[in-house]
Amino acid sequence: QVQLVESGGGLVQAGGSLRLSCAASRGTIVNYVMGWFRQAPGQERDFVAAINWSGSSTYYSDSVNGRFTISRDSAQSTVYLQMNSLKPEDTALYYCAARRTFTEPTIRRSAEYIYWGQGTQVTVSS
């Protein structure tokens, strides 16, 4: 059993940056593929980014590619999401999640992720 805790959310102006963190409060994420998702009010939960076990492979949604960077520090069992050039449409509750496989056709599917955090709010003002 792995428990995930996100942090780093907040209020930022458009064009600004934030770095989200996801740590395992119980268990370890060393053997898991990690992903970030986000959900805006009234909308479905959307895939943002994923990273494989070693950090050597990453995958991004088109909407954040080139602006966001996912990374991991397995020694500290932490995953990061560096968000630059933020836009008001990035406003959402951001979740980290863990899964066992890194298969590109299914990497976006939230149903494939078995552990989830509670989320951290990101609000981007215009």
Side-chain angles (χ1 to χ4, degrees), residues 8-50:
L11 174 64
V12 63
Q13 288 188 335
S17 298
L18 282 174
R19 189 176 81 156
L20 305 184
S21 299
C22 172
S25 62
R26 186 171 69 182
T28 177
I29 63 169
V30 170
N31 298 318
Y32 291 91
V33 171
M34 299 300 297
W36 285 96
F37 288 76
R38 66 187 181 186
Q39 187 169 20
Q43 298 187 20
E44 295 185 351
R45 190 173 296 187
D46 291 331
F47 171 80
V48 174

Side-chain angles (χ1 to χ4, degrees), residues 16-84:
S17 298
L18 282 174
R19 189 176 81 156
L20 305 184
S21 299
C22 172
S25 62
R26 186 171 69 182
T28 177
I29 63 169
V30 170
N31 298 318
Y32 291 91
V33 171
M34 299 300 297
W36 285 96
F37 288 76
R38 66 187 181 186
Q39 187 169 20
Q43 298 187 20
E44 295 185 351
R45 190 173 296 187
D46 291 331
F47 171 80
V48 174
I51 189 166
N52 70 345
W53 310 269
S54 66
S56 61
S57 293
T58 57
Y59 192 78
Y60 298 93
S61 69
D62 291 343
S63 62
V64 307
N65 195 23
R67 299 188 298 124
F68 291 9
T69 302
I70 188 172
S71 61
R72 68 189 301 161
D73 181 346
S74 293
Q76 296 186 4
S77 203
T78 304
V79 177
Y80 304 99
L81 185 69
Q82 177 66 43
M83 306 186 296
N84 298 329

